[in-house]
Structure formats: C-alpha cells, structure tokens
Short mmCIF file of all heavy atoms in Angstrom, two decimals:
data_model
loop_
_atom_site.label_atom_id
_atom_site.label_comp_id
_atom_site.label_asym_id
_atom_site.label_seq_id
_atom_site.Cartn_x
_atom_site.Cartn_y
_atom_site.Cartn_z
N PHE A 1 10.97 5.99 26.31
CA PHE A 1 10.09 6.56 27.34
C PHE A 1 10.13 8.08 27.34
O PHE A 1 9.13 8.73 27.68
CB PHE A 1 10.44 5.98 28.71
CG PHE A 1 9.98 4.56 28.88
CD1 PHE A 1 10.88 3.51 28.95
CD2 PHE A 1 8.62 4.27 28.94
CE1 PHE A 1 10.44 2.20 29.07
CE2 PHE A 1 8.17 2.96 29.08
CZ PHE A 1 9.09 1.92 29.14
N ALA A 2 11.25 8.68 26.93
CA ALA A 2 11.28 10.13 26.75
C ALA A 2 10.32 10.54 25.65
O ALA A 2 9.59 11.53 25.76
CB ALA A 2 12.70 10.60 26.44
N ALA A 3 10.30 9.77 24.55
CA ALA A 3 9.38 10.05 23.45
C ALA A 3 7.93 9.92 23.91
O ALA A 3 7.07 10.72 23.52
CB ALA A 3 9.65 9.11 22.27
N CYS A 4 7.67 8.92 24.74
CA CYS A 4 6.31 8.75 25.25
C CYS A 4 5.88 9.95 26.10
O CYS A 4 4.76 10.45 25.96
CB CYS A 4 6.22 7.48 26.10
SG CYS A 4 6.39 5.94 25.15
N ARG A 5 6.76 10.41 26.96
CA ARG A 5 6.42 11.56 27.82
C ARG A 5 6.16 12.80 26.98
O ARG A 5 5.20 13.55 27.22
CB ARG A 5 7.54 11.82 28.84
CG ARG A 5 7.73 10.73 29.87
CD ARG A 5 8.59 11.17 31.03
NE ARG A 5 9.93 11.60 30.65
CZ ARG A 5 10.96 10.76 30.49
NH1 ARG A 5 10.79 9.45 30.63
NH2 ARG A 5 12.16 11.22 30.17
N LEU A 6 7.02 13.02 25.99
CA LEU A 6 6.87 14.21 25.16
C LEU A 6 5.62 14.11 24.29
O LEU A 6 4.85 15.08 24.19
CB LEU A 6 8.11 14.40 24.29
CG LEU A 6 8.09 15.61 23.36
CD1 LEU A 6 7.88 16.90 24.14
CD2 LEU A 6 9.38 15.68 22.54
N PHE A 7 5.41 12.96 23.67
CA PHE A 7 4.23 12.82 22.82
C PHE A 7 2.96 13.03 23.62
O PHE A 7 2.03 13.71 23.17
CB PHE A 7 4.21 11.45 22.16
CG PHE A 7 3.10 11.28 21.16
CD1 PHE A 7 3.29 11.63 19.84
CD2 PHE A 7 1.85 10.78 21.54
CE1 PHE A 7 2.26 11.51 18.91
CE2 PHE A 7 0.82 10.66 20.63
CZ PHE A 7 1.03 11.01 19.30
N ARG A 8 2.90 12.43 24.80
CA ARG A 8 1.73 12.56 25.67
C ARG A 8 1.43 14.03 25.96
O ARG A 8 0.30 14.49 25.85
CB ARG A 8 1.97 11.79 26.96
CG ARG A 8 0.82 11.81 27.95
CD ARG A 8 1.21 11.04 29.20
NE ARG A 8 1.54 9.66 28.88
CZ ARG A 8 2.73 9.10 29.11
NH1 ARG A 8 3.73 9.83 29.62
NH2 ARG A 8 2.94 7.83 28.81
N SER A 9 2.46 14.77 26.31
CA SER A 9 2.29 16.19 26.66
C SER A 9 1.83 16.99 25.45
O SER A 9 0.88 17.78 25.52
CB SER A 9 3.60 16.74 27.21
OG SER A 9 3.54 18.14 27.38
N LEU A 10 2.49 16.78 24.32
CA LEU A 10 2.14 17.52 23.11
C LEU A 10 0.73 17.18 22.64
O LEU A 10 -0.06 18.07 22.29
CB LEU A 10 3.13 17.19 21.99
CG LEU A 10 4.60 17.58 22.21
CD1 LEU A 10 5.47 16.99 21.10
CD2 LEU A 10 4.77 19.09 22.27
N ALA A 11 0.43 15.89 22.61
CA ALA A 11 -0.86 15.45 22.08
C ALA A 11 -2.02 15.91 22.96
O ALA A 11 -3.10 16.24 22.45
CB ALA A 11 -0.88 13.93 21.93
N LYS A 12 -1.83 15.92 24.26
CA LYS A 12 -2.89 16.42 25.14
C LYS A 12 -3.14 17.90 24.90
O LYS A 12 -4.30 18.35 24.89
CB LYS A 12 -2.53 16.16 26.60
CG LYS A 12 -2.68 14.70 27.01
CD LYS A 12 -2.39 14.51 28.50
CE LYS A 12 -2.67 13.07 28.93
NZ LYS A 12 -2.41 12.88 30.38
N GLU A 13 -2.08 18.67 24.70
CA GLU A 13 -2.26 20.09 24.45
C GLU A 13 -2.95 20.33 23.11
O GLU A 13 -3.88 21.15 23.01
CB GLU A 13 -0.91 20.81 24.47
CG GLU A 13 -1.02 22.31 24.25
CD GLU A 13 0.30 23.03 24.33
OE1 GLU A 13 1.27 22.46 24.86
OE2 GLU A 13 0.38 24.19 23.86
N VAL A 14 -2.52 19.62 22.07
CA VAL A 14 -3.14 19.77 20.76
C VAL A 14 -4.60 19.32 20.80
O VAL A 14 -5.49 19.99 20.28
CB VAL A 14 -2.36 18.98 19.69
CG1 VAL A 14 -3.10 18.96 18.37
CG2 VAL A 14 -0.96 19.57 19.51
N GLY A 15 -4.84 18.18 21.46
CA GLY A 15 -6.21 17.68 21.56
C GLY A 15 -7.13 18.64 22.30
O GLY A 15 -8.26 18.88 21.87
N ALA A 16 -6.64 19.20 23.39
CA ALA A 16 -7.46 20.14 24.17
C ALA A 16 -7.78 21.38 23.35
O ALA A 16 -8.90 21.91 23.39
CB ALA A 16 -6.74 20.51 25.46
N TYR A 17 -6.80 21.85 22.58
CA TYR A 17 -6.99 23.06 21.78
C TYR A 17 -8.09 22.86 20.73
O TYR A 17 -8.93 23.73 20.52
CB TYR A 17 -5.68 23.43 21.11
CG TYR A 17 -5.73 24.69 20.27
CD1 TYR A 17 -5.49 25.94 20.84
CD2 TYR A 17 -6.01 24.63 18.91
CE1 TYR A 17 -5.53 27.10 20.07
CE2 TYR A 17 -6.05 25.78 18.13
CZ TYR A 17 -5.81 27.00 18.72
OH TYR A 17 -5.86 28.14 17.96
N PHE A 18 -8.08 21.70 20.08
CA PHE A 18 -9.05 21.44 19.02
C PHE A 18 -10.27 20.67 19.50
O PHE A 18 -11.14 20.32 18.70
CB PHE A 18 -8.37 20.66 17.88
CG PHE A 18 -7.39 21.48 17.10
CD1 PHE A 18 -6.02 21.32 17.29
CD2 PHE A 18 -7.82 22.42 16.18
CE1 PHE A 18 -5.11 22.07 16.56
CE2 PHE A 18 -6.91 23.17 15.45
CZ PHE A 18 -5.55 23.01 15.65
N GLN A 19 -10.30 20.38 20.79
CA GLN A 19 -11.39 19.59 21.38
C GLN A 19 -11.46 18.19 20.78
O GLN A 19 -12.53 17.64 20.52
CB GLN A 19 -12.74 20.32 21.24
CG GLN A 19 -12.78 21.65 21.97
CD GLN A 19 -14.13 22.33 21.94
OE1 GLN A 19 -14.87 22.23 20.96
NE2 GLN A 19 -14.48 23.00 23.02
N TYR A 20 -10.27 17.61 20.58
CA TYR A 20 -10.16 16.22 20.16
C TYR A 20 -9.83 15.40 21.40
O TYR A 20 -9.07 15.83 22.28
CB TYR A 20 -9.05 16.03 19.13
CG TYR A 20 -9.21 16.81 17.85
CD1 TYR A 20 -8.10 17.14 17.08
CD2 TYR A 20 -10.47 17.23 17.39
CE1 TYR A 20 -8.23 17.85 15.88
CE2 TYR A 20 -10.60 17.94 16.21
CZ TYR A 20 -9.48 18.25 15.46
OH TYR A 20 -9.61 18.95 14.30
N VAL A 21 -10.37 14.20 21.48
CA VAL A 21 -10.17 13.36 22.66
C VAL A 21 -8.85 12.61 22.56
O VAL A 21 -8.63 11.85 21.60
CB VAL A 21 -11.33 12.36 22.82
CG1 VAL A 21 -11.08 11.45 24.03
CG2 VAL A 21 -12.66 13.10 22.99
N TYR A 22 -7.99 12.82 23.53
CA TYR A 22 -6.72 12.09 23.56
C TYR A 22 -6.98 10.65 23.98
O TYR A 22 -7.70 10.39 24.94
CB TYR A 22 -5.74 12.75 24.52
CG TYR A 22 -4.44 12.01 24.66
CD1 TYR A 22 -3.52 11.97 23.62
CD2 TYR A 22 -4.13 11.30 25.83
CE1 TYR A 22 -2.34 11.27 23.72
CE2 TYR A 22 -2.95 10.59 25.95
CZ TYR A 22 -2.05 10.58 24.89
OH TYR A 22 -0.87 9.88 24.99
N PRO A 23 -6.37 9.65 23.30
CA PRO A 23 -6.62 8.23 23.62
C PRO A 23 -5.87 7.78 24.87
O PRO A 23 -4.88 7.03 24.80
CB PRO A 23 -6.13 7.52 22.36
CG PRO A 23 -5.04 8.38 21.84
CD PRO A 23 -5.47 9.79 22.13
N ALA A 24 -6.36 8.21 26.01
CA ALA A 24 -5.66 7.91 27.27
C ALA A 24 -5.55 6.42 27.53
O ALA A 24 -4.54 5.94 28.06
CB ALA A 24 -6.38 8.61 28.43
N ARG A 25 -6.59 5.64 27.16
CA ARG A 25 -6.53 4.21 27.41
C ARG A 25 -5.44 3.54 26.59
O ARG A 25 -4.69 2.68 27.10
CB ARG A 25 -7.90 3.58 27.10
CG ARG A 25 -7.95 2.06 27.29
CD ARG A 25 -7.61 1.66 28.73
NE ARG A 25 -8.59 2.19 29.66
CZ ARG A 25 -9.74 1.60 29.98
NH1 ARG A 25 -10.08 0.46 29.40
NH2 ARG A 25 -10.55 2.14 30.86
N GLU A 26 -5.29 3.91 25.32
CA GLU A 26 -4.21 3.37 24.50
C GLU A 26 -2.86 3.72 25.10
O GLU A 26 -1.95 2.88 25.13
CB GLU A 26 -4.30 3.90 23.07
CG GLU A 26 -5.44 3.34 22.25
CD GLU A 26 -5.40 3.80 20.81
OE1 GLU A 26 -4.48 4.58 20.43
OE2 GLU A 26 -6.29 3.39 20.04
N ASP A 27 -2.72 4.94 25.56
CA ASP A 27 -1.49 5.40 26.20
C ASP A 27 -1.19 4.52 27.42
O ASP A 27 -0.08 3.98 27.57
CB ASP A 27 -1.66 6.87 26.59
CG ASP A 27 -0.46 7.46 27.31
OD1 ASP A 27 0.33 6.71 27.91
OD2 ASP A 27 -0.32 8.70 27.30
N GLU A 28 -2.16 4.35 28.29
CA GLU A 28 -1.96 3.57 29.52
C GLU A 28 -1.62 2.12 29.20
O GLU A 28 -0.70 1.53 29.80
CB GLU A 28 -3.21 3.65 30.38
CG GLU A 28 -3.50 5.03 30.94
CD GLU A 28 -4.90 5.14 31.52
OE1 GLU A 28 -5.60 4.10 31.56
OE2 GLU A 28 -5.28 6.25 31.93
N ASN A 29 -2.37 1.53 28.28
CA ASN A 29 -2.13 0.12 27.94
C ASN A 29 -0.74 -0.09 27.35
O ASN A 29 -0.03 -1.03 27.71
CB ASN A 29 -3.19 -0.35 26.94
CG ASN A 29 -4.56 -0.48 27.54
OD1 ASN A 29 -4.72 -0.47 28.76
ND2 ASN A 29 -5.58 -0.58 26.69
N MET A 30 -0.35 0.79 26.43
CA MET A 30 0.94 0.60 25.79
C MET A 30 2.10 0.95 26.71
O MET A 30 3.17 0.34 26.63
CB MET A 30 1.02 1.44 24.51
CG MET A 30 0.19 0.86 23.37
SD MET A 30 0.60 -0.88 23.02
CE MET A 30 2.33 -0.76 22.62
N THR A 31 1.92 1.92 27.60
CA THR A 31 2.97 2.23 28.57
C THR A 31 3.22 1.03 29.47
O THR A 31 4.37 0.66 29.74
CB THR A 31 2.59 3.46 29.40
OG1 THR A 31 2.42 4.59 28.53
CG2 THR A 31 3.67 3.78 30.42
N GLU A 32 2.14 0.40 29.92
CA GLU A 32 2.29 -0.81 30.74
C GLU A 32 2.97 -1.92 29.95
O GLU A 32 3.85 -2.63 30.46
CB GLU A 32 0.92 -1.29 31.24
CG GLU A 32 1.01 -2.54 32.10
CD GLU A 32 -0.35 -3.04 32.56
OE1 GLU A 32 -1.36 -2.39 32.25
OE2 GLU A 32 -0.37 -4.10 33.21
N TYR A 33 2.58 -2.06 28.69
CA TYR A 33 3.18 -3.09 27.84
C TYR A 33 4.68 -2.85 27.68
O TYR A 33 5.49 -3.78 27.81
CB TYR A 33 2.49 -3.06 26.48
CG TYR A 33 3.04 -4.04 25.47
CD1 TYR A 33 2.57 -5.35 25.43
CD2 TYR A 33 4.02 -3.67 24.55
CE1 TYR A 33 3.06 -6.27 24.49
CE2 TYR A 33 4.52 -4.57 23.62
CZ TYR A 33 4.03 -5.86 23.60
OH TYR A 33 4.53 -6.76 22.68
N LEU A 34 5.06 -1.61 27.42
CA LEU A 34 6.48 -1.30 27.25
C LEU A 34 7.28 -1.59 28.52
O LEU A 34 8.39 -2.13 28.46
CB LEU A 34 6.64 0.17 26.85
CG LEU A 34 6.07 0.58 25.49
CD1 LEU A 34 6.11 2.09 25.32
CD2 LEU A 34 6.82 -0.10 24.35
N LEU A 35 6.73 -1.23 29.65
CA LEU A 35 7.41 -1.48 30.92
C LEU A 35 7.59 -2.98 31.15
O LEU A 35 8.65 -3.43 31.62
CB LEU A 35 6.62 -0.86 32.07
CG LEU A 35 6.64 0.68 32.14
CD1 LEU A 35 5.59 1.18 33.12
CD2 LEU A 35 8.03 1.18 32.54
N ARG A 36 6.56 -3.76 30.82
CA ARG A 36 6.65 -5.21 31.01
C ARG A 36 7.69 -5.82 30.08
O ARG A 36 8.49 -6.67 30.49
CB ARG A 36 5.29 -5.86 30.77
CG ARG A 36 4.32 -5.70 31.93
CD ARG A 36 3.01 -6.41 31.66
NE ARG A 36 2.15 -6.37 32.83
CZ ARG A 36 2.12 -7.32 33.77
NH1 ARG A 36 2.93 -8.36 33.67
NH2 ARG A 36 1.31 -7.23 34.80
N VAL A 37 7.70 -5.39 28.82
CA VAL A 37 8.66 -5.96 27.87
C VAL A 37 10.08 -5.58 28.28
O VAL A 37 11.00 -6.40 28.17
CB VAL A 37 8.35 -5.49 26.44
CG1 VAL A 37 9.43 -5.95 25.47
CG2 VAL A 37 6.99 -6.01 25.99
N ARG A 38 10.26 -4.37 28.74
CA ARG A 38 11.60 -3.97 29.15
C ARG A 38 12.11 -4.84 30.30
O ARG A 38 13.31 -5.16 30.36
CB ARG A 38 11.62 -2.50 29.58
CG ARG A 38 13.02 -2.02 29.94
CD ARG A 38 13.07 -0.57 30.36
NE ARG A 38 14.45 -0.13 30.49
CZ ARG A 38 14.82 1.09 30.87
NH1 ARG A 38 13.89 1.99 31.17
NH2 ARG A 38 16.10 1.41 30.94
N ALA A 39 11.21 -5.26 31.18
CA ALA A 39 11.61 -6.06 32.35
C ALA A 39 11.71 -7.55 32.06
O ALA A 39 12.16 -8.32 32.92
CB ALA A 39 10.61 -5.82 33.49
N LEU A 40 11.30 -7.99 30.88
CA LEU A 40 11.32 -9.42 30.57
C LEU A 40 12.74 -9.95 30.52
O LEU A 40 13.63 -9.32 29.92
CB LEU A 40 10.66 -9.68 29.21
CG LEU A 40 9.14 -9.64 29.12
CD1 LEU A 40 8.72 -9.79 27.66
CD2 LEU A 40 8.51 -10.70 30.00
N PRO A 41 12.99 -11.11 31.10
CA PRO A 41 14.31 -11.73 30.94
C PRO A 41 14.46 -12.29 29.53
O PRO A 41 13.47 -12.53 28.83
CB PRO A 41 14.27 -12.87 31.97
CG PRO A 41 12.82 -13.18 32.16
CD PRO A 41 12.09 -11.89 31.98
N PRO A 42 15.69 -12.51 29.08
CA PRO A 42 15.92 -12.98 27.70
C PRO A 42 15.26 -14.32 27.39
O PRO A 42 14.99 -14.60 26.23
CB PRO A 42 17.44 -13.07 27.61
CG PRO A 42 17.95 -12.19 28.70
CD PRO A 42 16.93 -12.25 29.79
N ASP A 43 15.04 -15.14 28.40
CA ASP A 43 14.47 -16.47 28.16
C ASP A 43 12.99 -16.53 28.51
O ASP A 43 12.43 -17.60 28.73
CB ASP A 43 15.22 -17.52 28.97
CG ASP A 43 15.19 -17.23 30.47
OD1 ASP A 43 14.76 -16.11 30.86
OD2 ASP A 43 15.61 -18.09 31.26
N ALA A 44 12.34 -15.39 28.56
CA ALA A 44 10.92 -15.34 28.94
C ALA A 44 10.07 -16.19 27.99
O ALA A 44 10.32 -16.22 26.79
CB ALA A 44 10.42 -13.91 28.94
N LYS A 45 9.08 -16.89 28.52
CA LYS A 45 8.15 -17.71 27.73
C LYS A 45 6.80 -17.04 27.57
O LYS A 45 5.99 -17.47 26.74
CB LYS A 45 7.96 -19.09 28.39
CG LYS A 45 9.26 -19.85 28.61
CD LYS A 45 10.01 -20.07 27.29
CE LYS A 45 11.31 -20.85 27.53
NZ LYS A 45 12.09 -21.00 26.28
#
C-alpha cells in the first residue's frame, strides 16, 4: 500500500505534466481489490 500511494502520486504528477490521463478507475478498482484480499480469511470461498 505504500507503493500504491507513491505510484499514484508520482504518476499523477507525470501525467499532468505531459497531459496524459492517469487511469483513476484502474487505481480505484485495484485498491478496493487489494483491500478485500487482505481482509479475506484463509478459508474464504
């Protein structure tokens, strides 16, 4: 999650500088996915 925070910050700055669109939806979807997987119990179905 530290890598996610840093990448998000860096990529937004780089994207803004070059006028490239940062993939905010991919970021949001994968952040939610990571949080869910971290909370899964070992016997999750």
Side-chain angles (χ1 to χ4, degrees):
F1 286 110
C4 291
R5 294 194 301 275
L6 180 57
F7 186 89
R8 181 182 301 119
S9 172
L10 297 171
K12 285 184 175 180
E13 182 177 343
V14 172
Y17 181 88
F18 289 103
Q19 298 185 326
Y20 300 156
V21 178
Y22 177 70
R25 179 59 63 86
E26 288 185 0
D27 178 337
E28 293 167 4
N29 289 346
M30 286 306 300
T31 299
E32 180 182 357
Y33 178 87
L34 295 171
L35 289 168
R36 283 182 174 268
V37 174
R38 184 180 189 182
L40 283 175
D43 58 350
K45 304 302 180 183

